[in-house]
């Protein structure tokens, strides 16, 4: 006999099994904003599959891509309320919920990808995932989101002065606004799901993101210049609602930590392949991909870095710079 316990709204559906006290089924809904071809979506599907295997089918993670369940900010709010079980967001919108996450929006905080992953897998990475717990969110793992660079409709960006007067779409985060301003652009926040239309209608002159997102969002159809200046390394994070988590059995909690960890490793391999593939694909579709002198951009961020001195994010920046 099926019984419905809707303790967490639509977040969980628990059906009682046949054997006394055993065999319950748990369904966890997961919403995110990326396309089904994106390497992060594919890693999430891998994670859901691992959860199914580990639990012998008793736990199902249902994945809803393309912002079907709401924007990243809306999804985070739903997690806090326990109305949605899981989400994957960029750390940028997350900084309005977990202020320390702003560190990833600080341009040229990391030397390169290895430095960034050393930090994510080290003490700081763990501290930041743990910091989410005080805000109703439990951080499970990071996914690689490479480096973000500028892309524009028809203005090539060779140096920061080329950004002057251009309206550049940024993520919903104060640090993203400050980053774009520091580099000379006029930042305009737009939801990721509305960005294609905003570019097409010339509401903004360009945006910034990693290559796999530029490719899978099809923004390359309207933006013909991509400048690999690599100003930030803003990772993606997989999260579960703290309200939902606290009601799961220790056994399920264990699976929900192992499967994300495994998927994160898998995703980094996938990322390397997809990053190369996206580069080749967009060039083949007529996008001019250039390698501007990064130091010209990095030279401009000193005042922004200094302005953080004495703040918790400034302290993280200091520790990150000290890591070798
Ligand atoms: C990346 C990230 C997304 C985010 C997007 C954005 O693609 O993976 O989570 O929504 O950037 O620019 O908003």
């Amino acid at each position: 006999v099926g019984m419905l316990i809707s303790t967490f709204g639509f977040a969980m559906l628990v059906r009682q099994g046949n054997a006394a006290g055993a065999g319950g089924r748990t369904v966890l809904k997961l919403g995110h904003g990326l396309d089904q071809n994106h390497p992060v979506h594919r890693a999430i599907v891998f994670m859901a599959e691992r959860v199914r295997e580990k639990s012998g089918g008793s736990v199902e993670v249902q994945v809803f891509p393309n912002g079907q369940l709401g924007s990243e900010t809306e999804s985070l709010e739903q997690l806090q309320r326990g109305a949605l079980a899981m989400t994957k967001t960029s750390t940028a919108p997350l900084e309005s919920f977990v202020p320390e996450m702003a560190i990833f929006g600080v341009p040229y905080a990391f030397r390169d990808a290895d430095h960034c992953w050393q930090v994510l897998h080290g003490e700081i990475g763990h501290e930041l995932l743990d910091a989410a717990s005080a805000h109703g969110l439990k951080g499970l793992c990071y996914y690689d989101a490479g480096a973000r660079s500028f892309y524009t409709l028809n203005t090539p960006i060779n140096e920061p002065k080329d950004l002057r007067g251009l309206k550049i779409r940024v993520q919903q985060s104060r640090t993203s606004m400050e980053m774009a301003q520091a580099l000379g652009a006029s930042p305009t926040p737009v939801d990721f799901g509305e960005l294609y239309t905003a570019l097409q209608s010339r509401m903004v002159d360009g945006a910034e993101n990693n290559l796999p997102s530029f490719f899978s969002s099809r923004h390359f159809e309207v933006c013909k210049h991509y400048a690999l200046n690599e100003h930030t390394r803003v990772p993606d994070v997989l999260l579960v609602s703290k309200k939902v988590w606290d009601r799961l059995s220790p056994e399920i909690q264990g699976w929900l930590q192992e499967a994300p960890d495994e998927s994160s490793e898998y995703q980094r391999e996938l990322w390397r392949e997809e990053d190369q593939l996206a580069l080749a694909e967009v060039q083949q579709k007529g996008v001019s991909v250039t390698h501007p002198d990064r130091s010209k951009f990095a030279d401009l961020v000193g005042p922004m870095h200094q302005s953080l001195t004495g703040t918790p994010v400034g302290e993280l920046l200091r520790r990150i710079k000290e890591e070798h």
Side-chain angles (χ1 to χ4, degrees):
V1 193
M3 190 176 81
L4 206 71
I5 309 172
S6 59
T7 340
F8 322 120
F10 61 87
M12 283 186 63
L13 194 65
V14 183
R15 212 172 345 111
Q16 198 173 287
N18 296 332
R25 204 167 111 79
T26 304
V27 176
L28 302 166
K29 290 196 180 195
L30 186 161
H32 73 82
L34 295 167
D35 185 80
Q36 265 147 301
N37 292 315
H38 196 285
V40 169
H41 171 79
R42 287 162 56 196
I44 291 171
V45 170
F46 175 92
M47 183 276 300
E49 182 56 22
R50 295 298 293 130
V51 170
R52 197 186 60 75
E53 283 165 19
K54 284 172 193 289
S55 68
S58 67
V59 183
E60 188 192 345
V61 178
Q62 282 179 356
V63 185
F64 298 84
N66 283 314
Q68 286 173 55
L69 302 186
S71 69
E72 295 195 326
T73 301
E74 286 161 357
S75 301
L76 289 165
E77 287 165 356
Q78 291 180 39
L79 253 67
Q80 282 188 321
R81 292 200 306 273
L84 175 66
M86 300 176 79
T87 193
K88 187 293 300 166
T89 74
S90 168
T91 55
L94 191 54
E95 86 180 46
S96 306
F97 300 78
V98 186
E100 299 90 328
M101 291 286 177
I103 184 60
F104 298 108
V106 178
Y108 302 107
F110 302 102
R111 286 185 299 276
D112 52 27
D114 286 347
H115 184 204
C116 180
W117 274 100
Q118 188 186 321
V119 169
L120 292 177
H121 280 156
E123 232 178 40
I124 296 179
H126 288 107
E127 277 171 28
L128 291 173
L129 284 187
D130 288 348
S133 299
H135 308 279
L137 305 162
K138 175 159 176 66
L140 294 173
C141 71
Y142 295 103
Y143 289 128
D144 205 341
R148 298 178 74 95
S149 293
F150 291 109
Y151 54 90
T152 41
L153 292 169
N154 36 39
T155 322
I157 306 297
N158 296 312
E159 46 186 320
K161 75 168 176 38
D162 299 329
L163 286 167
R164 255 182 241 152
L166 292 191
K167 273 195 258 157
I168 298 293
R169 177 272 175 172
V170 292
Q171 293 178 277
Q172 294 291 349
S173 102
R174 209 185 71 192
T175 317
S176 307
M177 299 274 289
E178 288 173 2
M179 172 281 294
Q181 264 154 2
L183 298 177
S186 303
T188 309
V190 176
D191 187 55
F192 188 61
E194 281 149 28
L195 183 50
Y196 188 99
T197 314
L199 288 163
Q200 202 180 29
S201 64
R202 308 284 191 265
M203 191 189 118
V204 289
D205 303 299
E208 44 88 57
N209 212 327
N210 53 59
L211 278 165
S213 298
F214 177 56
F215 177 52
S216 68
S217 62
R218 310 189 73 82
H219 295 168
F220 67 85
E221 290 175 350
V222 272
C223 293
K224 292 300 166 196
H225 299 272
Y226 188 100
L228 274 162
N229 71 302
E230 304 188 316
H231 45 267
T232 44
R233 293 187 176 273
V234 183
D236 273 347
V237 185
L238 185 68
L239 300 139
V240 57
S241 158
K242 191 77 175 40
K243 280 198 175 154
V244 172
W245 176 264
D246 288 343
R247 298 186 188 194
L248 296 172
S249 70
E251 197 181 29
I252 297 183
Q253 289 180 348
W255 297 324
L256 278 184
Q257 190 56 72
E258 284 164 27
D261 287 345
E262 291 165 21
S263 73
S264 174
E265 252 178 66
Y266 166 72
Q267 190 266 344
R268 283 190 69 196
E269 279 170 39
L270 207 57
W271 186 266
R272 272 180 226 118
E273 288 163 25
E274 294 290 320
D275 202 25
Q276 291 300 311
L277 188 89
L279 173 64
E281 289 279 348
V282 299
Q283 284 177 310
Q284 208 239 325
K285 302 271 199 275
V287 174
S288 134
V289 180
T290 53
H291 294 261
D293 180 357
R294 287 181 60 202
S295 67
K296 289 196 176 155
F297 293 84
D299 283 350
L300 294 177
V301 304
M304 185 174 167
H305 284 206
Q306 276 143 28
S307 73
L308 294 166
T309 310
T311 68
V313 174
E315 179 54 15
L316 288 169
L317 184 62
R318 186 192 63 73
R319 287 168 64 196
I320 287 171
K321 285 181 176 172
E322 271 173 13
E323 284 203 23
H324 296 293

